[in-house]
């Protein structure tokens, strides 16, 4: 009973990750489809070319809507989230922790216009972002940090 449940959870996580990749790289996927896949289908699978084009058109409508919703949500969040950083710290037992510090606009209290929220979570080395692991290896650091808001801003500008 537990094994099928775990399989469903893993499948769901893999599907969510795949959807995230597709949404993030959709303009590149569509460029490849227009330049390569669709002309190839026109030439080699003319009986399916219309169906393939319609499938990409339907997917494009859905993915573009999701991308617009993500950008809109990020813009609304950025009205409140002034800055967020993630600092990766090596613990004494060779484990890792991420300490996330968020600075939020406090619109309800003029005396304290900014609220700082700090949370910490333990991580395995494998769960560290690749750029942080690379920084640790190349710079021989025992910790690394990431400006989350700047990284997300760049990602959504380029998407």
């Amino acid at each position: 009973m537990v094994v099928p449940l775990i399989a469903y959870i893993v499948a769901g996580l893999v599907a969510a990750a795949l959807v995230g990749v597709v949404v993030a790289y959709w303009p590149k996927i569509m460029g490849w489809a227009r330049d390569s896949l669709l002309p190839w289908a026109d030439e080699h699978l003319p009986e399916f070319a219309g169906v393939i084009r319609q499938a990409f058109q339907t997917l494009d409508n859905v993915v573009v809507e999701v991308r617009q919703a993500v950008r809109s949500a990020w813009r609304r969040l950025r009205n409140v989230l002034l800055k967020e950083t993630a600092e990766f710290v090596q613990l004494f037992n060779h484990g890792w922790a991420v300490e996330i510090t968020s600075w939020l606009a406090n619109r309800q209290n003029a005396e304290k216009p900014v609220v700082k929220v700090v949370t910490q979570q333990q991580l395995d080395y494998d769960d560290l972002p690749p750029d942080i692991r690379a920084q640790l290896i190349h710079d021989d650091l025992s910790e690394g940090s990431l400006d989350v808001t700047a990284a997300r801003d760049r990602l959504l500008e380029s998407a």
Side-chain angles (χ1 to χ4, degrees):
M1 181 72 166
V2 173
V3 173
L5 179 61
I6 292 172
Y8 285 127
I9 291 170
V10 169
L13 291 173
V14 169
L18 183 58
V19 167
V21 168
V22 168
V23 168
Y25 290 100
W26 189 248
K28 292 179 183 187
I29 292 169
M30 283 303 294
W32 166 78
R34 280 190 310 273
D35 296 343
S36 301
L37 177 67
L38 298 176
W40 182 88
D42 289 340
E43 183 177 338
H44 297 287
L45 300 170
E47 63 277 9
F48 297 109
V51 173
I52 294 169
R53 286 180 183 280
Q54 183 61 46
F56 268 94
Q57 182 179 352
T58 302
L59 277 173
D60 185 58
N61 291 338
V62 171
V63 172
V64 166
E65 190 175 316
V66 168
R67 289 167 53 89
Q68 289 171 343
V70 167
R71 277 195 202 99
S72 176
W74 181 248
R75 280 189 217 106
R76 287 192 313 273
L77 178 62
R78 286 293 276 134
N79 288 328
V80 176
L81 180 63
L82 303 173
K83 184 174 181 175
E84 185 171 73
T85 60
E87 187 163 348
F88 299 89
V89 181
Q90 187 172 12
L91 303 174
F92 66 91
N93 63 357
H94 299 289
W96 288 87
V98 61
E99 183 175 281
I100 298 174
T101 305
S102 304
W103 290 269
L104 307 166
N106 185 0
R107 305 216 193 298
Q108 291 152 350
N109 186 348
E111 292 178 19
K112 192 171 183 181
V114 176
V115 175
K116 181 179 173 182
V117 178
V118 179
T119 59
Q120 191 175 66
Q121 173 184 344
Q122 287 193 341
L123 298 172
D124 290 329
Y125 179 80
D126 296 343
D127 295 330
L128 294 173
D131 55 333
I132 296 296
R133 289 194 317 267
Q135 181 182 352
L136 295 171
I137 292 168
H138 293 294
D139 297 337
D140 193 29
L141 298 174
S142 60
E143 57 186 57
S145 64
L146 176 67
D147 184 339
V148 176
T149 47
R152 292 294 174 237
D153 286 342
R154 281 191 307 272
L155 178 66
L156 290 173
E157 286 172 8
S158 67

